[in-house]
Amino acid sequence: MPVSLLMVAVLLAALAGFVDAVAFSSFAGFFASFMSGNSTRLGVALVAGLEGEIWTAAGLLLGFVSGVMGGAIAARAAGVRGREAVMLLVTALLALAALCVGLGPRQLGLVLLAGAMGAENAVFLRDGEVRLGLTYMTGTLVRFGQRLADALMGAGPRFAWWRDLLFWGGFVGGTLGGAAAFVVLGDRAIGLAAVLAGLLTLLVARTAD
């Protein structure tokens, strides 16, 4: 991946971290991008009989998968402009989420946040498959550990791991920014996320493979 495209990917991971931190802070520990966490909450809520949490977690999972589908459809339909189309969808969903959280229905805003994060993963599609997951870091940390082990054992390139570390660092940096923005702006931080997504859309449009 060219360095310019890698930097865009890191910034998109930071956007995902930003949105996830805001959602976590605003919605009592639910996530916009971390579906493993929401799946765990769904399982616990089912056993404990927590009906409100069951519906929230299920709505987030459905919203995320719907966003993934929407992003893939947008990317395919737009052809060579697929990345820009996906980012326009992400920006629109974040803007709608900000409106819903501010004016109601608030829970729909959370589902739209999950949809936006699902759609973002379609920015880097290749042959119809996700080339780089932008909103979840477990796979990134697995690759980092594997490549670092290879480097230590002399079984692979010495510095192949640094990109994974950079990518993870972008996500964590985004969570720091999102948490700080929520302290200052409260739910209005979602509107800031939409603005940031719009700026990243312009950047994506100017970045070549």
Side-chain angles (χ1 to χ4, degrees), residues 124-131 209:
F124 293 103
L125 284 182
R126 174 178 287 173
D127 299 326
E129 297 291 332
V130 174
R131 176 181 171 190
D209 248 323

Side-chain angles (χ1 to χ4, degrees), residues 90-123:
V90 170
T91 303
L93 289 171
L94 288 174
L96 287 173
L99 287 173
C100 287
V101 171
L103 303 176
R106 196 168 187 276
Q107 288 298 109
L108 178 58
L110 179 58
V111 173
L112 288 169
L113 287 177
M117 294 300 93
E120 187 180 312
N121 287 290
V123 171

Side-chain angles (χ1 to χ4, degrees), residues 3 86 89 152 169:
V3 173
V86 172
L89 175 60
L152 291 173

Side-chain angles (χ1 to χ4, degrees), residues 15 87 90-91 94 192-202:
L15 175 65
M87 284 307 301
V90 170
T91 303
L94 288 174
L192 177 57
V195 172
L196 294 174
L199 294 174
L200 283 173
T201 301
L202 296 176

Side-chain angles (χ1 to χ4, degrees), residues 30 44 49 58 60 84 88 95 98 107 111 135 138 157 164 192 204:
F30 282 98
V44 171
L60 283 164
E84 295 96 304
L88 285 172
Q107 288 298 109
V111 173
T135 67
T138 302
D164 299 306
L192 177 57
V204 167

Side-chain angles (χ1 to χ4, degrees), residues 5-181:
L5 207 58
L6 176 64
M7 291 300 103
V8 170
V10 170
L11 291 173
L12 290 171
L15 175 65
F18 185 101
V19 172
D20 221 23
V22 173
F24 182 88
S25 301
S26 184
F27 291 94
F30 282 98
F31 301 93
S33 71
F34 181 47
M35 292 303 116
S36 294
N38 290 331
S39 297
T40 299
R41 293 203 64 168
L42 175 62
V44 171
L46 285 168
V47 172
L50 303 173
E51 186 174 346
E53 292 197 9
I54 291 171
W55 285 110
T56 298
L60 283 164
L61 293 166
L62 179 61
F64 186 85
V65 173
S66 298
V68 172
M69 294 172 62
I73 291 169
R76 288 177 182 271
V80 295
R81 293 292 183 183
R83 288 176 183 160
E84 295 96 304
V86 172
M87 284 307 301
L88 285 172
L89 175 60
V90 170
T91 303
L93 289 171
L94 288 174
L96 287 173
L99 287 173
C100 287
V101 171
L103 303 176
R106 196 168 187 276
Q107 288 298 109
L108 178 58
L110 179 58
V111 173
L112 288 169
L113 287 177
M117 294 300 93
E120 187 180 312
N121 287 290
V123 171
F124 293 103
L125 284 182
R126 174 178 287 173
D127 299 326
E129 297 291 332
V130 174
R131 176 181 171 190
L132 182 64
L134 295 169
T135 67
Y136 44 91
M137 291 296 112
T138 302
T140 299
L141 290 174
V142 169
R143 286 192 302 273
F144 168 69
Q146 290 173 335
R147 289 169 177 171
L148 186 58
D150 287 344
L152 291 173
M153 297 296 293
R158 291 183 61 187
F159 298 106
W161 49 266
W162 74 269
R163 295 190 179 202
D164 299 306
L165 184 61
L166 179 65
F167 195 54
W168 175 81
F171 185 89
V172 173
T175 65
L176 293 173

